[in-house]
Amino acid sequence: MTKSNGARATDGGVQSVDRAFQVLEVLARNGEVGVSAIATEIGVHKSTVSRLLGSLEEHEMVVQTYERGKYRLSLGILRLAASVPERLEITEQGHAVCERLAAKLGETVNVAVLRSHFAIHLDQARGPASVGTQNWIGEPTPVHATASGKILLAYLDVQHRHEVLGAAALERFTEHTITSVETLDEELAAAKSLGYAVVVEEYEKGLNAIAAPIRDYDGKISALSVSGPVYRFTEARMRAVVPDVIAAAAEISERMGFRQPITPSA
């Protein structure tokens, strides 16, 4: 029996989706790839690949590189990756804690993880004083200029950390942004020792933040942060809330299956 026009259109749509996924897989395996190379690998005409790339670029899944004709995966992929399954687990286990902390401190609380060379926010809770605060969920933020990013960097081994920082390129956002790897290494060592990191107008003028590590059952690190405007969330205020932030991060860690190692008695 002959298929209807609707069925043929549906089949064509499915084929386009399938080819779009093939394009994404090629880029994931090879990094920056040209139209001709993609067409050869998936076995279609270059014009088909160009149309697929155009659609994927509209949806921020790919981006054209400075070398015209080549493409790579874009930040839209990171936003999708941020949603499963880690987001489900950590938001399920930690959201109530974030809400409670936000209500107590009156500021915005976020949970972030490392993706490539960005800190990606998975969850957010807003305190009563933070009405109108930007929604950071799914947003990539620079690791070297945010409190969450500093926590995520602090617990990496040095080689991995420097690879991440090399990709991040240490862009300057304000006059307070740290752009020296050596200076940042010193600050990250202190953050790991203290159990928290702070930023004072390093990413945005007028915004301060503090963060502490969340650990899961196998020791993987996420970051719990509290941020607020400098006129209210001052450096003195951040120092005062350190115990609250660390305690909230520890509570989420426990819910995520982390157990503190037992220190043998003397």
Side-chain angles (χ1 to χ4, degrees), residues 200-214:
V200 177
E201 298 187 275
E202 293 180 36
Y203 182 39
E204 288 186 12
K205 288 286 291 181
L207 184 69
N208 288 347
I210 180 172
I214 298 169

Side-chain angles (χ1 to χ4, degrees), residues 210-222:
I210 180 172
I214 298 169
R215 299 168 173 86
D216 68 8
Y217 59 91
D218 63 358
K220 186 164 57 178
I221 300 294
S222 306

Side-chain angles (χ1 to χ4, degrees), residues 83 164 196:
S83 65
V164 171
Y196 68 92

Side-chain angles (χ1 to χ4, degrees), residues 56-95:
L56 290 168
E57 191 171 21
E58 279 186 30
H59 292 282
E60 299 183 329
M61 296 294 106
V62 304
V63 64
Q64 193 164 183
T65 67
Y66 291 113
E67 186 178 350
R68 299 292 296 177
K70 287 193 173 184
Y71 291 80
R72 60 176 173 80
L73 297 180
S74 186
L75 297 179
I77 293 292
L78 293 175
R79 287 195 289 271
L80 291 178
S83 65
V84 291
E86 187 172 15
R87 177 178 179 178
L88 297 177
E89 184 175 3
I90 200 165
T91 56
E92 180 180 329
Q93 298 300 328
H95 188 71

Side-chain angles (χ1 to χ4, degrees), residues 121-262:
H121 293 84
L122 304 184
D123 196 16
Q124 183 176 77
R126 300 181 184 184
S130 59
V131 176
T133 300
Q134 178 176 343
N135 184 352
W136 291 101
I137 295 178
E139 290 295 319
T141 56
V143 285
H144 68 291
T146 58
S148 291
K150 288 182 180 181
I151 285 295
L152 297 170
L153 288 171
Y155 288 83
L156 296 178
D157 64 73
V158 175
Q159 181 178 347
H160 187 189
R161 179 196 303 165
H162 287 176
E163 289 172 357
V164 171
L165 291 175
L170 300 186
E171 179 181 352
R172 180 177 294 282
F173 297 97
T174 75
E175 64 267 34
H176 302 291
T177 306
I178 297 174
T179 58
S180 160
V181 172
E182 292 76 16
T183 303
L184 193 57
D185 276 339
E186 292 176 4
E187 184 162 325
L188 296 176
K192 187 173 181 180
S193 175
L194 294 169
Y196 68 92
V198 299
V199 293
V200 177
E201 298 187 275
E202 293 180 36
Y203 182 39
E204 288 186 12
K205 288 286 291 181
L207 184 69
N208 288 347
I210 180 172
I214 298 169
R215 299 168 173 86
D216 68 8
Y217 59 91
D218 63 358
K220 186 164 57 178
I221 300 294
S222 306
L224 175 74
S225 68
V226 180
S227 58
V230 294
Y231 69 85
R232 189 173 65 226
F233 203 50
T234 62
E235 292 183 64
R237 175 65 174 153
M238 285 195 287
R239 286 193 296 272
V241 304
V242 165
D244 295 305
V245 178
I246 290 177
E251 183 178 348
I252 299 174
S253 297
E254 186 174 354
R255 293 182 178 212
M256 294 289 290
F258 177 75
R259 295 292 180 268
Q260 288 283 1
I262 299 173

Side-chain angles (χ1 to χ4, degrees), residues 12-13 15-21 23-24 27 35 38 46-64 71-74 76-77 79-80:
Q15 186 180 56
S16 294
V17 171
D18 183 61
R19 285 174 174 169
F21 277 115
V23 170
L24 293 174
L27 294 175
V35 173
I38 297 172
K46 288 193 296 183
S47 61
T48 300
V49 172
S50 293
R51 286 196 300 271
L52 291 169
L53 287 167
S55 180
L56 290 168
E57 191 171 21
E58 279 186 30
H59 292 282
E60 299 183 329
M61 296 294 106
V62 304
V63 64
Q64 193 164 183
Y71 291 80
R72 60 176 173 80
L73 297 180
S74 186
I77 293 292
R79 287 195 289 271
L80 291 178

